[in-house]
């Protein structure tokens, strides 16, 4: 059960390594333009453009500001950039504070991103520890302690956190000045808040994650399940089985009633708690109100909230930017006939939505794992995917590494590094295709293994008696 | 559009014929009337330092501000008058243009080739008003309320595109025009500017342009416009400039600026010097046409030959001031009048104009210059030579650089250099798919990076919006006159377009319209010794106007990545396959009940028979049951394979 020895040393080393790279790399080392690393939504370069324009002190007192005031009542910023501008205004506490000095000095923003990475890793570690504890608790209740021993002593929390910190992709993304580590931090914050049943934190993370990249909106299902049922546990069926066996034993052998065990198993069968969920709803409305008020204040004189939604979420949902990324949609929408565009937009997004319910029904006892599956699916099907999305779920998958075959993601990792080449659009698309296939396999296999694992647990419980 | 054009051509030809006959019969004595409409034609010829000749045709028509004659015009082209103020839709004839455009100012130019600022001059009136960017450039100011301007502009582009048989209507889309605020020094909100750098210019644009002239190309100076010889030139710019005011009415200036290479007339006596002597030329040798008589409807018809001040200073050195026949060159025939420029600096020499009046009906006026001695001179340069180029490699990103190199020519600025401060206005329109990061603007002066606030006096940036607006940069730079070079760089990313948005021959790349660099404190105005002749010459009046010195940069060709245009079906099928794989397998995993399957397997085990053997046995038993089916099956398979093969 001991954590990885020297976790803090390794974590500090990871951060130090990042900072070292930031200092050492030449200024014209443009990692940020690689489509794998940044997307129109997360490119810091794109984000700074409107800022630099309005903040640069080119415009003296008598001179005209560089933000145009003619003709259109709204500043003319390219849609993506405008989306970011507006969103940045909307969330002063996550962007503006570092985007501002960033214009003056590039390093500060990168330092902040490294810090975000570190916080993310710490939260992943804490989540992992909680998951581990609950897992051991539940296995002990089921009298399956030997399974605990068999699974080894690796602390999955430490492992996942280090996985996140030392993942070469995360490092590259951090250096490539992409803002997705902040998005990831918000997602992890929401999950951690839900795991440790702190509704304000969960609500904060969720609201801001939605605000930043929209797709985490589906995480509301696992968050509510986490708050309601608690952490991942073996399916309630195993506990019921155990209970019934215990009762059968006690009635048959007429030994003294093992009331302790049965009450313990009863307790382990989690009942849905409404209080934290209601708290969560309250806090979500508080944070939403906060965000909307902030944005309406900052949008005064520029545009309306609906305009902002159209330019931010609309930009994400309608796949307006067709620059290549590692997903499939850019090429698809560059080639597809305009007549079918809307149809396919609906089809692709419905593909995310349609699996929510079946997954939630089948995996409701493992909300944390459910969150991971949701993240993986949305990172596969989102309109502007990047490596940053995959780093998040790849580190989360290690949380369940005891359950899943570790060898599962080694081919994924391998492939992630192979498709770096560019060239013909078809080739690039083919790599995206392969990547999507691998992600599909990862998701499907992990869901399959988790279900198998649960079944195995039940079988062992049956076999015990 | 072609159909419209043809219809329009026929109609217009008829109109011109009718108006010609009417005007010559009925209004014969009306032509000289000052009150009504006027038409003048002028031609300026000028030898250029690089052995070429500039020919600048200037036709000007004016119409009365509020004609009492209703829709009727004697000389002024009706189509243009309707462009400016159309009081009511005229059902009978004005069937193609019923909108009210209310244009205050309009300039449309069709240009082929690039004006050579180094050799052909950069600070004289011709270069500052008639050097235009390649392709089509259109700007207009309107007299309509601000909200209606965009609609009016769109209608105007369609009208002009029909009128001139060109694709000006592409300027209709909001991605291709912009609203400059201070570059043109005009009213801010009601100007629209658009350019089509790739538009090819040919005779089909010239013919409708000529139809606006009262004599077309049947009489007068326009008869010189022999298509093969003028399109053989190095530069060809046909321009239409409209100004309408309440006071002076509508003024329509039609100018055609061409740079031609005269044929070298082999002269046996000077055969040794032929290489060094400027080629001698005359109107008939250059245009392959003879000029006989003027357009009878023209109030004035004259030819001017200009000798630049550097030639004049040489002549003065040789001791023949303003003479047209001397040891250096021979101007024939003798000019009607000599017009001298007055310069504020008396120590410098001035350019000279020799005027010919084109009035003789039967004797061709063959103006020409015969050079006698080898002579090299240079044209007046603008203080800075503007050029633009791309930096970076690959098709993902790049930088646009605009550089201003000092030409070291203008001693005037050099003399009072200490306190002298130069201003340069840069105007650049970039299509939306070239995503310029305006925050990456860097300015180098003499290869040293400058603090932006020190150099930029005024800036206005309109960032592009995807598929909606082009990006516009307007910038006023201020720097000392002694500076040798100024360079601006801007980084950009190349966007990716939908397969239908690429132009034909997408692999060639996209053209970015020319940037415009103006020097607002320099003016190219000339003052001529005040005799009344200049008052009657619209061309000379034009030269006396205060025009800002400007220069257009090159058109940039930006290579773009292209998708595989043959792939749509493949991409759709592949992507959908992956999605189906994901969705199907995930649902399959969720739906599966392993316990059920194991139970099934156990029951199967009882039968002691595998799945595949049972299927095989089933099929074989069925086949045995139907005796004729086997050859039938084989036949069907062969048939389908054959069919597939033939179809493909």
């Amino acid at each position: 059960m001991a954590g990885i020895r020297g976790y803090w040393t390794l974590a500090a080393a990871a951060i130090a390594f990042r900072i070292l790279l930031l200092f050492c790399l030449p200024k014209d080392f443009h990692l940020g333009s690689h489509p794998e690393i940044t997307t129109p939504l997360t490119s810091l370069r794109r984000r700074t453009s409107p800022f630099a324009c309005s903040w640069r002190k080119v415009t003296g007192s008598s001179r005209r500001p560089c933000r145009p005031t003619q003709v259109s009542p709204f500043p003319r910023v390219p849609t993506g950039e405008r989306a970011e501008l507006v969103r940045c205004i909307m969330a002063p506490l996550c962007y503006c504070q570092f985007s501002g000095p960033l214009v003056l000095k590039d390093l500060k923003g990168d330092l902040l991103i490294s810090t975000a990475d570190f916080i993310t890793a710490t939260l992943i570690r804490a989540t992992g520890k909680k998951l581990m504890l609950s897992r051991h608790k539940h296995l002990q209740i089921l009298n399956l302690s030997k399974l605990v021993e068999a699974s080894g002593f690796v602390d999955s929390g430490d492992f996942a956190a280090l996985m996140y910190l030392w993942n070469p992709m995360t490092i590259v993304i951090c250096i490539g000045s992409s803002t997705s580590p902040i998005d990831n931090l918000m997602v992890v914050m929401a999950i951690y808040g839900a795991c440790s049943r702190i509704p304000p934190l969960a609500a904060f993370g969720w609201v801001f994650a939605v605000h930043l990249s929209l797709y985490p909106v589906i995480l509301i299902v696992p968050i509510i399940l986490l708050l309601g049922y608690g952490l991942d546990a073996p399916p309630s069926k195993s506990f019921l089985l155990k209970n019934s066996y215990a009762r059968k034993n006690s009635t048959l052998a007429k030994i003294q009633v093992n009331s302790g065990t049965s009450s313990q198993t009863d307790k382990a069968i989690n009942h849905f708690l409404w209080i934290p969920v209601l708290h969560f709803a309250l806090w979500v409305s508080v944070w939403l109100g906060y965000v909307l008020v902030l944005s309406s204040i900052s949008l005064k004189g520029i545009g309306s909230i609906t305009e902002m939604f159209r330019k931010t979420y609309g930009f994400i949902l309608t796949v307006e930017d067709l620059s290549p990324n590692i997903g499939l949609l850019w090429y698809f929408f560059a080639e597809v006939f305009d007549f079918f565009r809307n149809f396919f937009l609906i089809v692709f997004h419905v593909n995310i939505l349609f699996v929510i319910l079946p997954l939630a029904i089948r995996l409701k006892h493992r909300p944390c794992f459910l969150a991971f599956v949701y993240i993986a699916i949305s990172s596969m099907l989102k309109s502007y995917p990047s490596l940053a999305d995959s780093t998040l779920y790849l580190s989360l998958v290690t949380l369940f590494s005891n359950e899943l075959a570790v060898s599962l993601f080694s081919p994924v990792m391998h492939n992630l590094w192979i498709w770096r080449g560019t060239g013909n659009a078809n080739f690039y698309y083919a790599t995206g295709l392969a990547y999507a296939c691998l992600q599909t396999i990862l998701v499907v296999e992990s869901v399959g293994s988790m279900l198998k694992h649960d079944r195995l647990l039940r079988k062992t419980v049956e076999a015990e008696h | 559009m072609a159909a419209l054009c043809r219809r329009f051509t026929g109609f217009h030809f008829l109109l011109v014929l009718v108006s010609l006959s009417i005007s010559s019969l009925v209004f014969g004595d009306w032509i000289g009337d000052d009150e009504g409409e006027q038409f003048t034609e002028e031609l300026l010829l000028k030898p250029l330092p690089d052995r070429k000749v500039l020919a600048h045709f200037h036709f000007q028509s004016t119409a009365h501000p509020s004609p009492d004659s209703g829709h009727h015009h004697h000389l002024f082209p009706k189509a243009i008058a309707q462009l400016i103020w159309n009081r009511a839709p005229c059902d009978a004839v004005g069937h193609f243009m019923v909108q009210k455009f209310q244009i205050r100012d309009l300039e449309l130019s069709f240009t082929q080739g690039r004006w050579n600022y180094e050799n052909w001059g950069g600070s004289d009136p011709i270069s500052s008003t008639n050097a235009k960017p390649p392709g089509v450039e259109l700007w207009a100011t309107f007299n309509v309320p601000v909200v209606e301007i965009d609609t009016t502009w769109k209608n105007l582009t369609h009208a002009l595109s029909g009128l001139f048989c060109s694709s000006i209507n592409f300027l209709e889309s909001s991605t291709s025009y912009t609203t400059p605020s201070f570059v043109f020094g005009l009213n801010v909100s009601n100007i629209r500017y658009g350019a089509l750098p790739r538009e090819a210019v040919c005779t089909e644009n010239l013919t409708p342009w000529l139809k606006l002239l009262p004599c077309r190309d049947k009489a007068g100076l326009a008869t010189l416009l022999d298509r093969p010889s003028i399109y053989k030139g190095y530069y060809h710019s046909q321009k239409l400039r409209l100004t309408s005011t309440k006071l002076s009415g509508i003024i329509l200036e039609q100018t055609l600026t061409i740079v031609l290479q005269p044929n070298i007339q082999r002269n046996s006596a000077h055969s040794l010097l032929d290489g060094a002597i400027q080629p001698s030329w005359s109107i008939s040798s250059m245009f392959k046409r003879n000029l006989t008589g003027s357009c009878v409807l023209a109030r004035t018809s004259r030819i001017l030959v200009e000798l630049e001040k550097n030639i004049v200073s040489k002549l003065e050195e040789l001791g023949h001031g303003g003479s047209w026949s001397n040891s250096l060159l021979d101007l024939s025939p003798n000019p009607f009048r000599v017009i001298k420029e007055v310069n504020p600096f008396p120590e410098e020499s001035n350019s000279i104009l020799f005027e010919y009046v084109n009035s003789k009906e039967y004797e061709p006026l063959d103006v020409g210059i015969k050079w006698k001695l080898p002579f090299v001179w240079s044209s007046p340069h603008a203080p800075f030579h503007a050029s633009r180029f791309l930096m970076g490699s690959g098709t993902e990103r790049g930088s646009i650089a605009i550089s201003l190199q000092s030409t070291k020519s203008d001693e005037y600025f050099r003399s009072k250099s200490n306190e002298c401060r130069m201003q340069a206005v840069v105007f650049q329109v970039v299509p939306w798919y070239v995503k310029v990061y305006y925050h990456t603007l860097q300015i180098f002066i003499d290869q040293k990076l400058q603090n932006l606030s020190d150099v930029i006096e005024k800036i206005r940036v309109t960032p592009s919006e995807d598929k909606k607006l082009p990006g516009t940069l307007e910038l006023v730079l201020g720097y000392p006159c002694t500076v040798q070079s100024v360079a601006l760089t801007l980084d950009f990313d190349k966007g990716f377009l939908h397969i239908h948005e690429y132009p034909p021959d997408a692999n060639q790349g996209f053209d970015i319209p020319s940037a415009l660099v103006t020097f607002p404190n320099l003016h190219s105005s000339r003052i001529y010794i005040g005799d009344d002749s200049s008052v009657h010459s619209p061309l000379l009046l034009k030269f006396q106007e205060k025009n800002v010195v400007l220069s257009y940069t090159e058109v940039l060709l930006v290579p773009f990545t292209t998708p595989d245009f043959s792939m749509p079906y493949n991409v759709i099928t592949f992507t959908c396959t992956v999605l189906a794989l994901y969705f199907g397998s995930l649902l399959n995993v969720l739906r599966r009940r392993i316990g059920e399957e194991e139970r099934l397997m156990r029951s199967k085990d009882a039968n002691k028979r595998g799945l595949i053997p049972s299927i095989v046995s089933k099929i074989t038993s069925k086949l045995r049951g139907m005796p004729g089916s086997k050859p039938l099956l084989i036949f069907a398979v062969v048939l389908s394979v054959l069919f597939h093969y033939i179809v493909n």
Side-chain angles (χ1 to χ4, degrees):
Chain A
M1 268 301 289
I4 292 175
R5 209 176 298 157
Y7 165 77
W8 290 108
T9 333
L10 280 172
I15 298 298
F17 183 58
R18 266 158 234 243
I19 292 166
L20 192 76
L21 280 181
L22 285 178
F23 273 113
C24 294
L25 286 178
K27 279 281 164 211
D28 53 346
F29 190 70
H30 293 299
L31 265 177
S33 64
H34 280 267
E36 298 92 35
I37 294 162
T38 54
T39 66
L41 290 176
T42 61
S43 165
L44 207 54
R45 191 159 170 245
R46 280 196 174 208
R47 286 188 177 197
T48 46
S49 190
F51 277 101
C53 189
S54 54
W55 287 2
R56 189 160 265 163
K57 294 288 173 264
V58 166
T59 55
S61 55
S62 62
R63 293 161 193 165
R64 189 189 286 261
C66 80
R67 202 176 63 195
T69 48
Q70 321 288 322
V71 186
S72 142
F74 306 114
R76 294 167 162 191
V77 180
T79 325
E81 291 166 15
R82 177 169 157 72
E84 289 326 307
L85 163 73
V86 168
R87 200 174 306 156
C88 196
I89 289 167
M90 197 175 154
L93 71 170
C94 30
Y95 286 121
C96 293
Q97 277 172 9
F98 79 87
S99 296
L102 187 98
V103 179
L104 309 170
K105 202 176 178 200
D106 290 335
L107 206 61
K108 271 190 185 169
D110 293 331
L111 273 180
L112 217 117
I113 291 172
S114 330
T115 322
D117 265 354
F118 182 71
I119 299 170
T120 311
T122 317
L123 289 178
I124 289 177
R125 183 165 178 263
T127 316
K129 287 220 184 302
K130 279 192 191 305
L131 275 177
M132 203 69 180
L133 282 177
S134 88
R135 174 179 140 84
H136 285 291
K137 195 182 81 189
H138 288 126
L139 287 184
Q140 263 163 6
I141 291 165
L142 291 174
N143 286 338
L144 293 173
S145 320
K146 66 165 186 270
L147 219 72
V148 178
E149 275 149 36
S151 70
F153 289 97
V154 180
D155 189 331
S156 64
D158 282 0
F159 191 61
L162 286 182
M163 181 78 193
Y164 186 80
L165 280 178
W166 276 104
N167 188 340
M169 294 184 286
T170 332
I171 294 172
V172 164
I173 284 154
C174 175
I175 297 163
S177 53
S178 154
T179 56
S180 39
I182 312 252
D183 304 4
N184 288 351
L185 171 66
M186 288 301 152
V187 170
V188 171
M189 200 182 270
I191 293 172
Y192 173 75
C195 279
S196 44
R197 290 204 168 156
I198 313 172
L201 188 66
F204 178 83
W206 183 73
V207 166
F208 278 89
V210 171
H211 168 51
L212 294 177
S213 61
L214 185 64
Y215 285 97
V217 75
I218 55 173
L219 286 182
I220 196 164
V221 180
I223 286 174
I224 286 176
L225 288 177
L226 267 175
L227 288 170
Y229 284 120
L231 280 169
D232 290 22
S236 47
K237 218 172 180 180
S238 335
F239 292 108
L240 291 175
L241 211 67
K242 171 86 182 161
N243 257 354
S244 68
Y245 279 130
R247 264 187 221 115
K248 216 190 288 170
N249 287 349
S250 60
T251 47
L252 279 175
K254 300 213 192 290
I255 321 167
Q256 82 263 35
V257 182
N258 196 352
S259 59
T261 325
S262 66
S263 69
Q264 216 178 346
T265 41
D266 279 337
K267 226 185 280 169
I269 300 168
N270 291 323
H271 299 288
F272 196 78
L273 301 175
W274 282 102
I275 307 288
V277 176
L278 287 178
H279 271 175
F280 174 73
L282 192 74
W283 276 104
V284 161
S285 54
V286 167
W287 288 121
L288 265 181
Y290 169 70
V291 163
L292 288 179
V293 164
L294 273 187
S295 57
S296 61
I297 288 170
S298 52
L299 280 173
K300 197 173 276 176
I302 304 174
S304 60
I305 295 265
T306 46
E307 162 91 4
M308 181 198 74
F309 283 143
R310 206 165 51 75
K311 297 247 168 166
T312 52
Y313 298 145
F315 180 72
I316 295 171
L317 290 178
T318 55
V319 199
E320 281 169 19
D321 193 307
L322 297 175
S323 52
N325 51 43
I326 56 172
L328 298 173
L329 303 197
W330 65 274
Y331 205 38
F332 188 88
F333 285 110
E335 299 257 339
V336 83
F337 312 101
D338 265 340
F339 183 74
F340 294 109
R341 193 182 158 86
N342 289 336
F343 169 72
F344 278 109
L345 277 176
I346 293 166
V347 165
F348 284 135
H349 287 109
V350 151
N351 255 312
I352 300 179
L353 296 179
F354 267 16
V355 291
I356 289 178
L357 198 63
L359 277 171
I361 291 169
R362 202 67 206 275
L363 289 168
K364 66 173 182 300
H365 56 282
R366 292 196 181 276
C368 233
F369 181 72
L370 185 65
F372 150 72
V373 175
Y374 283 172
I375 293 168
I377 287 171
S378 65
S379 78
M380 175 170 61
L381 291 178
K382 79 198 298 190
S383 40
Y384 310 106
S386 79
L387 275 187
D389 305 311
S390 64
T391 56
L392 179 63
Y393 76 76
L394 277 184
S395 66
L396 286 180
V397 81
T398 43
L399 286 179
F400 314 96
S401 58
N402 293 334
E403 286 95 341
L404 298 175
V406 182
S407 62
L408 187 82
F409 55 85
S410 67
V412 177
M413 297 287 286
H414 181 65
N415 273 276
L416 284 179
W417 287 106
I418 280 181
W419 45 249
R420 286 308 280 289
T422 49
N424 190 350
N426 295 339
F427 171 71
Y428 192 79
Y429 169 71
T431 62
L433 214 62
Y435 178 57
C437 285
L438 282 171
Q439 277 179 314
T440 305
I441 292 166
L442 177 75
V443 169
V444 170
E445 284 299 308
S446 53
V447 171
S449 347
M450 184 52 96
L451 293 175
K452 261 183 210 152
H453 171 77
D454 285 344
R455 184 176 155 67
L456 188 82
L457 275 182
R458 221 183 71 211
K459 294 272 262 191
T460 25
V461 169
E462 274 174 12
E464 288 265 306
H465 306 280
Chain B
M1 200 205 295
L4 175 72
C5 234
R6 214 173 299 129
R7 193 175 56 179
F8 176 57
T9 308
F11 152 71
H12 209 263
F13 180 63
L14 204 72
L15 192 79
V16 168
L17 270 187
V18 169
S19 72
L20 261 180
S21 55
I22 288 174
S23 57
S24 56
L25 287 172
V26 183
F27 302 101
D29 57 341
W30 173 85
I31 291 160
D33 192 3
D34 269 17
E35 299 280 313
E37 296 164 19
Q38 281 185 14
F39 174 71
T40 57
E41 51 176 19
E42 276 159 303
L43 166 64
L44 177 86
L45 294 166
K46 182 174 153 186
L48 293 173
D50 60 343
R51 308 168 70 82
K52 298 189 179 69
V53 177
L54 170 91
H56 175 69
F57 292 85
H58 183 101
F59 304 99
Q60 183 164 325
S61 313
T62 50
H64 203 266
S66 54
D68 302 322
S69 50
H71 306 306
H72 195 77
H73 293 280
H74 303 291
L75 292 172
F76 199 82
K78 184 160 188 161
I80 298 295
Q82 283 170 339
L83 214 65
I84 297 214
W85 45 50
N86 189 0
R87 282 159 299 275
C90 16
D91 301 323
V93 280
H95 55 276
F96 74 99
M97 220 177 273
V98 285
Q99 288 86 14
K100 199 187 276 189
F101 293 123
Q102 297 282 352
I103 294 158
R104 188 187 298 163
D105 248 321
L106 178 146
E107 189 173 298
L108 169 69
S109 64
F110 297 87
T111 309
Q112 201 145 40
R114 185 169 180 259
W115 182 263
N116 188 338
Y117 286 94
E118 303 217 5
N119 283 328
W120 305 341
S123 64
D124 55 319
I126 292 275
S127 67
S128 60
T129 53
N130 287 292
K132 288 279 152 194
V136 166
E137 189 202 47
L138 172 69
W139 63 260
T141 56
F142 301 91
N143 259 338
V144 294
V146 176
V147 282
E148 291 173 25
I149 287 181
D150 283 333
T151 350
T152 318
W153 165 267
K154 283 170 189 175
N155 292 334
L156 174 70
T157 55
H158 278 273
L160 288 175
S161 111
L163 201 58
F164 291 104
C165 292
S166 68
S167 39
I168 304 171
N169 57 328
F170 286 144
L171 289 177
E172 175 205 28
S173 125
S174 65
T175 54
S176 55
Y177 69 87
T178 179
T179 312
S181 73
F182 51 80
V183 168
F184 291 91
L186 295 163
N187 199 334
V188 172
S189 58
N190 61 3
I191 184 168
R192 292 293 179 274
Y193 173 92
L196 296 171
R198 205 184 265 188
E199 180 79 3
V201 180
C202 202
T203 46
E204 63 177 14
N205 306 119
L206 184 68
T207 312
W209 184 84
L210 284 172
K211 274 181 197 146
L212 301 177
L213 303 175
C215 298
R216 303 183 62 194
D217 55 346
K218 301 296 175 208
L221 292 175
T223 48
L224 292 176
L225 297 174
D226 172 46
R227 307 297 191 279
S229 40
I230 62 168
Y231 282 102
K232 216 167 58 184
Y234 288 79
Y235 176 80
H236 172 99
S237 172
Q238 105 192 30
K239 195 180 87 168
L240 183 125
R241 172 84 195 251
L242 261 178
T243 341
S244 79
T245 49
K246 283 270 184 300
L247 285 173
S248 57
I250 317 172
I251 300 170
L252 168 69
E253 288 163 40
Q254 286 173 267
T255 60
L256 178 70
T257 313
I258 36 186
V259 174
L260 298 171
Q261 172 95 62
N263 288 335
I264 297 163
Q265 292 163 341
R266 292 271 162 203
N267 194 336
S268 56
H270 294 284
S271 60
L272 282 174
L273 294 168
D274 263 359
I277 288 184
Q278 295 278 332
S280 303
W281 50 264
S282 67
I283 285 181
S284 59
S285 78
M286 274 196 310
F287 294 103
K288 309 278 186 298
R289 296 267 176 100
N290 284 325
L291 182 66
T292 46
S294 62
C295 170
V296 285
L297 298 168
R299 187 186 168 85
T300 50
S301 169
R302 67 184 100 193
I303 297 174
L304 298 160
V305 176
E306 186 184 343
L307 293 183
E308 273 173 22
K309 67 177 179 190
N310 288 335
I311 306 178
V312 177
S313 70
K314 176 76 179 175
L315 285 178
E316 280 166 0
E317 262 176 45
L318 290 171
H320 0 257
S323 76
W324 51 86
S325 185
N326 48 48
S327 57
L328 184 66
L329 53 86
D330 229 345
L331 196 65
S332 65
N334 290 348
F336 173 71
R337 190 168 19 192
V338 180
I339 304 167
K340 284 192 179 173
E341 186 200 344
V342 187
N343 204 314
F345 312 104
E347 70 272 13
E348 286 185 28
S349 34
N350 305 313
S351 61
I352 296 181
L353 287 169
F354 298 98
E355 187 188 329
Y356 296 87
V357 176
N358 174 27
S359 56
K360 291 167 202 155
E361 293 271 343
Y362 306 105
E363 194 183 324
L365 180 64
D366 194 12
V367 179
I369 286 182
K370 193 170 268 176
W371 293 88
K372 293 174 180 166
L373 286 174
F375 178 53
V376 179
W377 77 99
S378 68
S379 289
H381 292 298
F384 286 88
H385 176 70
S387 63
R388 187 176 63 167
F389 48 91
L390 280 181
M391 299 196 297
S393 59
T395 49
E396 194 198 3
R397 49 161 65 233
S399 305
I400 300 174
I402 297 173
S403 93
L404 303 173
Q405 291 289 337
S406 171
T407 48
K408 298 179 191 170
S409 63
D410 223 319
E411 296 302 324
Y412 162 60
F413 286 103
R414 221 136 286 282
S415 58
K416 48 178 220 170
S417 57
N418 284 335
E419 72 276 19
C420 155
R421 203 163 162 80
M422 191 77 204
Q423 267 196 333
V425 182
V426 178
F427 173 58
Q428 157 108 53
V429 182
V430 181
W432 68 267
Y433 40 77
V434 177
K435 291 173 178 166
V436 176
Y437 295 107
Y438 291 100
H439 74 277
T440 58
L441 175 68
Q442 285 184 316
I443 297 176
F444 299 86
I445 287 185
D446 288 339
Q447 279 86 44
K448 271 186 241 103
L449 185 62
Q450 299 289 312
N451 194 356
L452 287 187
S453 45
D454 298 344
V455 191
I456 297 176
E457 295 189 350
K458 194 170 166 187
I459 185 171
R460 182 172 174 271
V461 172
T462 315
S464 59
E465 199 168 320
D466 284 4
K467 297 176 192 185
K468 283 197 192 113
L469 290 170
T472 316
L473 171 71
E474 289 171 88
L475 194 66
V476 182
L477 293 173
Y479 49 88
C481 300
T482 45
V483 158
Q484 289 302 307
S485 73
V486 181
L488 272 92
T489 61
L490 277 169
D491 289 356
F492 66 86
D493 277 357
K494 295 171 187 177
F496 290 83
L497 306 180
H498 186 261
I499 196 165
H500 293 151
E501 289 165 340
Y502 285 93
D505 193 12
N507 287 307
Q508 192 199 335
F510 287 73
D511 289 308
I512 301 184
S514 298
L516 172 63
V517 180
T518 62
F519 302 98
N521 38 16
L522 292 182
H523 296 282
S524 65
S525 67
R526 295 207 166 156
I527 306 158
Y528 293 99
I529 292 172
D531 59 352
D532 55 342
S533 73
S534 59
V535 179
H536 295 298
S537 165
L539 180 63
L540 292 189
L541 278 177
K542 205 79 199 153
F543 280 8
Q544 291 176 32
E545 277 176 14
K546 264 187 125 186
N547 285 311
V548 174
V549 171
L550 52 83
S551 60
Y552 286 91
T553 64
E554 300 89 342
V555 168
L556 278 187
L557 183 64
V558 184
F560 261 67
T561 30
T562 49
D564 193 334
F565 292 109
S566 60
M567 282 284 278
Y569 290 103
N570 300 349
V571 170
I572 292 168
T573 47
F574 284 149
T575 309
C576 291
T577 308
V578 169
L579 281 182
L581 191 73
Y582 141 79
F583 195 71
S585 53
L586 191 60
L587 276 193
N588 191 31
V589 162
L590 291 175
R591 184 201 56 83
R592 235 166 130 187
R593 300 273 167 201
I594 299 162
E596 292 288 319
E597 280 171 19
E598 277 174 0
R599 216 171 297 138
L600 208 72
M601 285 300 282
R602 247 178 265 129
S603 63
K604 279 273 160 65
D605 281 345
N607 287 345
K608 289 278 173 197
R609 206 163 188 185
L611 186 71
I612 294 167
S614 69
I615 290 170
V616 169
S617 69
K618 257 184 192 169
I619 291 172
T620 44
S621 65
K622 268 196 179 169
L623 285 180
R624 247 178 248 127
M626 287 184 285
S629 67
K630 204 171 181 180
L632 203 72
L633 194 76
I634 291 166
F635 177 71
V637 166
V638 168
L639 203 70
S640 67
V641 165
L642 270 178
F643 177 71
H644 192 76
Y645 187 74
I646 289 160
V647 164
N648 282 338

